[in-house]
Structure formats: structure tokens, C-alpha cells
Amino acid sequence: MEFVAILICLAVERWTSFGKHVRRFALLARYLTLFSRITLSGYIGLSVILLPLVIVVGVVYWLLLHVWFGLFAFIFSVAILLYCLGEFEINKDVEATEVEYTAKHDQEIAALLIQANHNIFAVLFWFIILGPVGPILYRLNDILSHQKNFKKLKPASKVLESYLDWIPVRLFAFSFSLMSHFIPVLKSWLKVVLGGVQNNAALLAS
């Protein structure tokens, strides 16, 4: 079911502009405003904000699984995944990578790969693992990390993002070897595959 949902969402992204119209993350931003006055910091504060919505999505999905042979659960999953996918446009400016390059062209390519993982591949990975709970957790944490009202929670949010990216980044990077020069890319991949979460960007860049 997850595979079919992914195919539907990717087809909608590829051949329509529907995703761009509905994806402004306004609903998640409004949810975060409910916690704008929170005084907790660190992982406790992050949990207080993330867990309520994650639990609600999980409970709704579980309840829908028992209605009409899971049809409504499938529709719910497609809607959540489509909403949580991020933008990926080659011609769009992207944030600089954490890895320094002498050539601007190399910097741009590395930034695009990191953007592709962050906005598409990692979201799809966690959808396969956790169902609709995965994309909601990943995207809500991402939005929180960019909110000015939650500066105290940003370090914890970035650490969580790094751990959520650890497996997807390595699978994504391994796919590069299958689509290009297998042996050279695989050798580069093997050198850093067991590195810590701080090496995520460096792995994709290399």
C-alpha cells in the first residue's frame, strides 16, 4: 500500500502543480503557534511540541485501517505524504552546504543532492517505515527548526533531524553508485558510511 501511495504522490508531483498549491505548510505553522509561548528547552520542549500531533496522526491512521478495508487509511496516507513532501526545483536557489568547495559548480550540485534528500528521499523513507506518522514527524521538526519563535529548541531539532537523516542519507548515497560509476562511488561511500550523524552532508557531497 505504501508503494502505491508513493507512486501516486510522485506522479502528482511530476505531472501536476497540485502539490505546490496545497503545500504551504500553513496548517503545521498554525499548529506550532499553539506552542509559541513554551518555556521548555532541549529535547523535553521538542517532545512536548512534536508528540501531540504525531500521536494524533498515528491514532487516526490506526482507526481508519479498520474502516472499509483500509481505503480511508490509504487516502489519509496519500494526503499526508503529498502534503509533507518538500519542494525540489533545480533552478531554485538552495542553501549552502556545510562542506566547503573551491568550485561554485560543485557547491551547487552538492546542495541540490542534500535538498533532494531533505525534501523527498528522507520523507519517502520514513513514510515506508512509519506510515503517515513518519512524514509528519520529519516535516514538523523541519519547520520548527526554521521558526524564529523556537530558537531554544533549534539545537535539539537539528540533532533530531541528523538522526532522522542518518539511514536515508546512506541509502540515497548508495543509489548514486548504482546510477553512475559504481566502483569509485562505492569506495567513497564505504569510507564514511559508518560515520556519525555529523557526516550526513559530507557523505552526500562526496
Side-chain angles (χ1 to χ4, degrees), residues 87-183:
E87 299 290 345
F88 179 71
E89 298 180 10
I90 294 180
N91 296 324
K92 186 177 180 179
D93 293 335
V94 294
E95 295 182 3
T97 67
E98 299 173 3
V99 184
E100 295 295 332
Y101 289 90
T102 55
K104 182 180 179 181
H105 180 68
D106 292 339
Q107 175 86 5
E108 291 174 347
I109 292 177
L112 284 173
L113 295 178
I114 293 171
Q115 178 194 180
N117 173 76
H118 184 68
N119 289 345
I120 299 176
F121 193 85
V123 177
L124 297 181
F125 174 84
W126 287 112
F127 176 75
I128 294 172
I129 300 299
L130 298 176
V133 170
I136 280 292
L137 173 62
Y138 191 89
R139 187 55 61 203
L140 183 60
N141 181 67
D142 171 61
I143 296 174
L144 184 148
S145 68
H146 290 87
Q147 291 281 334
K148 296 180 179 179
N149 296 333
F150 300 101
K151 291 183 178 179
K152 293 182 179 179
L153 299 178
K154 189 172 182 178
S157 178
K158 286 297 183 182
V159 171
L160 175 59
E161 179 182 284
S162 297
Y163 279 101
L164 290 175
D165 277 337
W166 196 87
I167 297 177
V169 160
R170 279 144 185 82
L171 293 177
F172 189 36
F174 180 74
S175 71
F176 299 156
S177 66
L178 302 178
M179 296 182 292
S180 59
H181 302 287
F182 181 77
I183 298 301

Side-chain angles (χ1 to χ4, degrees), residues 3 9 23 26 32 54 58 95 97 116 119 130 160 190:
F3 181 70
C9 290
R23 190 185 303 116
L32 289 176
V54 169
E95 295 182 3
T97 67
N119 289 345
L130 298 176
L160 175 59
L190 289 173

